[in-house]
Every structure is written in C-alpha cells, then in structure tokens.
Amino acid sequence: MPQLLVLAAHPLETKYFPEDIDLVLTGVGMSAAAVRTTEAVLTRCPDPARRAELTVLNIGSAGALKHGLTGVLEPSRIINRDVDEELLRAAGIPVDNVIELGGDGPVLATGDSFVAGGPARDALAARADLVDMEGWAIAVACRHLGVPLRMVKHVSDAADEEAVAWAEKVELSALALGRWFRGSGITGA
C-alpha cells in the first residue's frame, strides 16, 4: 500500500497542510534534515524491500537566484553548494555532488549558510536557480535508503538582502504550498 511522508524544515511552511498527513519537521540545515529524514524513513519502513512503497514529499520555501523565478517549482536537479568540486577533484577525490530528480525544473543548490545577497549569492547564481538549506540532505538520505522522492519548493525571496525577513515572507509560501498540495491529488496520508 503506497504511503506518503511529507518533510518540511519549519512549521511555518506547513501551516496550510491538512492535519491528517504524515508530516515530519526536519529542522533547518543539512545535518538536521539528513538525520530526521533517515529516522522517519527507517521508522516507517524498517524493511528495505518495502521502501519503494513510501514516497517522500519534501516541501518548503527557497530563494530565487535567477530573476523571474516565482511560484511553486519542482527542482529537476539538486547540488550541494558547500562542496568545492574543483579542489576535491584536483586532490584526486571523486565527487558525487548532483542528484537528478528528472523533469525540466530549476536547479536547487543546498547549503548550511543562509544566502542573503553579496558575492556568494552572485557566484551561486552561475550554478543554480534556487537555494535552500535542506533539499540536498533529504535527497541523499532518500537515495541511500531507496525511497522515491518528490521535491516542491515555493520562492519566498530573491536570496538577497531582503531574505533576512524570511519569517515575514514565508506566509505566502505556506499558502501557495498548501494550495498546491490540495490540488495535487497526492494521497497516502
């Protein structure tokens, strides 16, 4: 029987989701997201042979790195923005820094630092379209555990100096994500 597990970093992002869904809050950042995702999957599906019956839906807000990106988006690829691929490759260390989700959506870059403008944001915009702080960790955990993943993000800000007002902006993301979920036809709660 198919089962749905919804993961979000922060309770403000899930404010308009039904109360009867299986929802786990991962907390902010990659370490917390990896641990909570792994715990949640192993609790629900301790048998690896049955994990394909569980689908993880990661929802949340994201900052847009490209002008014109708005609304609810489904990333097609995720990168770990905290990894220095060139340096590791130069040292002879293999780099597994991309997870393909399929489709033709934007590229999501995940890292532990909050992106709020400046040179780091500008450099990141050359590699990705969106930025968050949990997606990569959730994707790695799901891939390792053999669990299907669907990721849906809402653009809450432009990852610029105004992003620090995230707590004020996330209400729009919560509304849009709740509306998306109700209209998606996704079941399994």
Side-chain angles (χ1 to χ4, degrees), residues 57-138:
L57 172 64
N58 170 229
I59 62 99
S61 59
L65 297 168
K66 302 283 169 64
H67 182 71
L69 278 180
T70 61
V72 176
L73 304 166
E74 292 193 50
S76 61
R77 171 185 283 192
I78 308 167
I79 63 171
N80 179 346
R81 63 182 164 90
D82 289 340
V83 171
D84 188 330
E85 294 177 43
E86 285 184 35
L87 189 58
L88 288 172
R89 284 193 182 103
I93 300 170
V95 179
D96 177 17
N97 195 42
V98 176
I99 296 178
E100 301 287 347
L101 294 177
D104 59 359
V107 175
L108 174 67
T110 301
D112 276 318
S113 58
F114 191 83
V115 178
R121 182 208 183 276
D122 297 341
L124 190 54
R127 301 172 43 209
D129 307 303
L130 297 173
V131 63
D132 83 342
M133 295 177 68
E134 299 80 28
W136 170 259
I138 291 168

Side-chain angles (χ1 to χ4, degrees), residues 2-177:
Q3 186 179 358
L4 177 68
L5 170 61
V6 178
L7 299 178
H10 197 280
L12 291 177
E13 295 171 314
T14 63
K15 187 174 173 181
Y16 299 101
F17 272 64
E19 290 183 18
D20 63 345
I21 63 169
D22 187 3
L23 172 67
V24 171
L25 297 174
T26 65
V28 175
M30 290 202 292
S31 297
V35 169
R36 300 284 166 5
T37 299
T38 301
E39 287 175 341
V41 169
L42 293 177
T43 299
R44 286 150 184 84
C45 289
D47 180 0
R50 303 207 49 156
R51 291 194 189 134
E53 297 173 13
L54 176 67
T55 296
V56 168
L57 172 64
N58 170 229
I59 62 99
S61 59
L65 297 168
K66 302 283 169 64
H67 182 71
L69 278 180
T70 61
V72 176
L73 304 166
E74 292 193 50
S76 61
R77 171 185 283 192
I78 308 167
I79 63 171
N80 179 346
R81 63 182 164 90
D82 289 340
V83 171
D84 188 330
E85 294 177 43
E86 285 184 35
L87 189 58
L88 288 172
R89 284 193 182 103
I93 300 170
V95 179
D96 177 17
N97 195 42
V98 176
I99 296 178
E100 301 287 347
L101 294 177
D104 59 359
V107 175
L108 174 67
T110 301
D112 276 318
S113 58
F114 191 83
V115 178
R121 182 208 183 276
D122 297 341
L124 190 54
R127 301 172 43 209
D129 307 303
L130 297 173
V131 63
D132 83 342
M133 295 177 68
E134 299 80 28
W136 170 259
I138 291 168
V140 167
C142 287
R143 178 176 67 179
H144 180 73
L145 295 169
V147 177
L149 169 66
R150 186 168 180 187
M151 192 168 286
V152 178
K153 301 292 180 175
H154 181 266
V155 175
S156 59
D157 55 74
D160 58 10
E161 294 77 10
E162 294 179 24
V164 294
W166 177 85
E168 298 165 17
K169 297 170 183 268
V170 74
E171 175 73 13
L172 294 176
S173 291
L175 278 165
L177 290 165

